[in-house]
Amino acid sequence: MVAFFLPRSSDDEQAERLYEALAEFAGCEPAPPGQRVQSIAFPQDGARWVAAVGEELRGRRTTQQLRRGELIERTEDLTSATRVLAIYPGTPFVVVTDAQPITGTPSEWANPFSVQPEEVTLFDAR
């Protein structure tokens, strides 16, 4: 398990302030230590995506096609330049990224965006 951190924070105190500020921006409650989310995997548009704090969003789409009586499976790796800043648990989970309006970086993802994860990894409880 990974210890709690947020990108762009230089120490634990700054990470706490940033975590609370990003929760306010996202319109949700910050999770207490021990319930903070490090990464999630979720389905979106026929692909399985992973959002991990401090990393760019990444996904994988597998398609099947019948060609000359044979089933062909093709896997496509998907990437996004959008970096995950924080993930908040709930129904649904809320993901905050470094895209607009936080920075000027455009993204195909809304910021924040909501998803229902299939898999959740928590930060190590302090």
Side-chain angles (χ1 to χ4, degrees), residues 3 6-7 10 13 20 26 28-29 32 34 41-42 50 57 64-65 81 112 114:
L6 287 185
S10 55
E13 191 176 302
E20 289 178 14
C28 61
E29 289 295 316
F42 59 94
V50 174
L57 286 163
Q64 295 178 338
Q65 189 176 18
S114 301

Side-chain angles (χ1 to χ4, degrees), residues 16-100:
E16 290 296 329
R17 286 194 312 270
L18 184 57
Y19 187 69
E20 289 178 14
L22 291 173
E24 186 175 325
F25 162 76
C28 61
E29 289 295 316
Q35 295 178 24
R36 293 181 177 173
V37 179
Q38 191 268 327
S39 68
I40 58 174
F42 59 94
Q44 183 78 25
D45 299 328
R48 185 173 193 270
W49 285 89
V50 174
V53 173
E55 297 179 16
E56 293 179 349
L57 286 163
R58 63 188 189 281
R60 177 170 279 179
R61 178 181 292 126
T62 301
T63 56
Q64 295 178 338
Q65 189 176 18
L66 197 58
R67 185 176 285 161
R68 296 187 192 132
E70 185 179 342
L71 189 63
I72 308 291
E73 191 169 274
R74 192 176 80 116
T75 300
E76 176 185 12
D77 288 325
L78 307 168
T79 58
S80 171
T82 304
R83 187 169 306 277
V84 176
L85 298 180
I87 303 168
Y88 298 93
T91 306
F93 279 52
V94 177
V95 179
V96 178
T97 70
D98 66 352
Q100 293 174 338

